[in-house]
Amino acid sequence: MAFARRLAILPGGLGGLGSSIGKKLRSEGAHLAILYAPFEAARRDSLLASGYDNDRTNIDTYECDITDASSVQSAFAALQKDQTAIGAFPSILVNTAGYVSLSDMHLTPPEETLKHLTTNVLGPMLCSQAFANLYFAASASKGQNGNAEAAPGRIVTLASQAAHVALHRHGAYCASKSAVLGLTRCMASEWGPKGITANTVSPTVAWTDLGKKAWGEQGVKEKLLESIPTGKAALPEEVADTVVFLCQDSSGMINGADIRVDGGYTIR
């Protein structure tokens, strides 16, 4: 159990990719702290049931607007109190929450651009700051008490193939995901010496329920698969496996990197 007695924090952990990642981490012993958006509150229980196979073992949930600093601070204060009670060390943050909408660039409303930037860039920034401060405090406390060395810190943020190439009608989304790469490199540089590595994972279209809905129609799916050298979309489990790999203790020399789970889409 690679992550036994460790806390993994997942903003967006009720989503298709988020729940796949959460299940993989939990299967390796991690206790999960899932941050869900206020608009998901009414569906929280049903999303938990479907995403985690009706098993809420080792899962705590916290309502949190990741684009609001006070909401993020409140959620992290609550989970810090809970993790202290259960004895789980806060060592993993996986930023899975995201937003995308499509429009021609010359018609993209300013509020849509802002929503991409606040959800996809500001959100991971606020959550990563809160996590880093939580990790530093927990590490210092562990050292002061003469306990064993703190577990290594890991931040993994979901970027996208859109961070690497121009996608038609995805201008604001491409900009926001490109920004995530730069943000992550700075986290890796500043926090690496303090015990936290930071990396990104850039999937192609993931075959979640939402992915199937958007890309599963006859003709649309075939055109998509023709553009991917391996001829298939990414399975949620494949993305999750990559994230879990980056969270392992043995991945400590991977820092500031991006792993593309895109079947070769961005090499063409």
Side-chain angles (χ1 to χ4, degrees):
M1 304 288 273
F3 307 124
R5 302 190 69 78
R6 298 189 191 181
L7 183 70
I9 304 166
L10 287 85
L14 294 183
L17 282 179
S19 59
S20 293
I21 294 166
K23 284 194 293 186
K24 292 270 186 182
L25 290 168
R26 188 175 63 168
S27 72
E28 291 292 335
H31 191 102
L32 306 184
I34 295 174
L35 309 188
Y36 63 91
F39 68 81
E40 295 176 307
R43 298 183 296 134
R44 183 198 63 174
D45 291 343
S46 62
L47 290 170
L48 269 174
S50 60
Y52 293 88
D53 304 322
N54 288 305
D55 181 5
R56 294 190 58 169
T57 305
N58 291 332
I59 297 178
D60 292 315
T61 60
Y62 305 87
E63 184 174 320
C64 179
D65 177 358
I66 65 168
T67 69
D68 180 81
S70 61
S71 182
V72 171
Q73 290 300 321
S74 294
F76 271 78
L79 69 85
Q80 180 179 21
K81 182 179 179 180
D82 291 343
Q83 64 86 21
T84 300
I86 64 175
F89 186 85
S91 66
I92 297 169
L93 172 71
V94 184
N95 291 304
T96 71
Y99 176 77
V100 62
S101 67
L102 309 186
S103 62
D104 295 328
M105 282 196 66
H106 68 294
L107 299 174
T108 302
E111 57 270 21
E112 277 300 298
T113 298
L114 190 59
K115 189 168 184 178
H116 280 86
L117 295 175
T118 54
T119 305
N120 297 344
V121 186
L122 178 61
M125 176 64 164
L126 293 176
C127 290
S128 296
Q129 286 177 312
F131 170 78
N133 286 314
L134 178 62
Y135 178 84
F136 298 150
S139 297
S141 175
K142 208 170 183 63
Q144 290 169 1
N145 293 332
N147 296 329
E149 186 177 346
R154 300 285 186 258
I155 297 174
V156 182
T157 302
L158 289 188
S160 168
Q161 63 185 16
H164 302 277
V165 295
L167 299 180
H168 185 55
R169 306 187 75 229
H170 284 72
Y173 185 70
C174 287
S176 67
K177 290 301 185 179
S178 296
V180 165
L181 301 188
L183 178 65
T184 300
R185 286 192 291 267
C186 289
M187 292 178 190
S189 179
E190 290 196 27
W191 297 339
K194 298 180 180 181
I196 299 174
T197 63
N199 296 286
T200 54
V201 173
S202 288
T204 185
V205 173
W207 218 235
T208 60
D209 289 341
L210 286 177
K212 293 174 185 177
K213 184 177 180 180
W215 299 90
E217 294 183 10
Q218 192 71 24
V220 176
K221 179 181 179 182
E222 285 71 20
K223 187 175 180 180
L224 167 68
L225 298 186
E226 286 174 2
S227 67
I228 302 174
T230 57
K232 68 184 189 71
L235 297 176
E237 294 79 9
E238 293 172 320
V239 179
D241 283 340
T242 305
V243 171
V244 171
F245 164 72
L246 290 171
C247 292
Q248 294 173 354
D249 291 3
S250 58
S251 298
M253 285 303 290
I254 304 175
N255 190 31
D258 176 75
I259 298 182
R260 306 185 196 188
V261 187
D262 68 353
Y265 179 90
T266 57
I267 64 176
R268 288 180 168 174

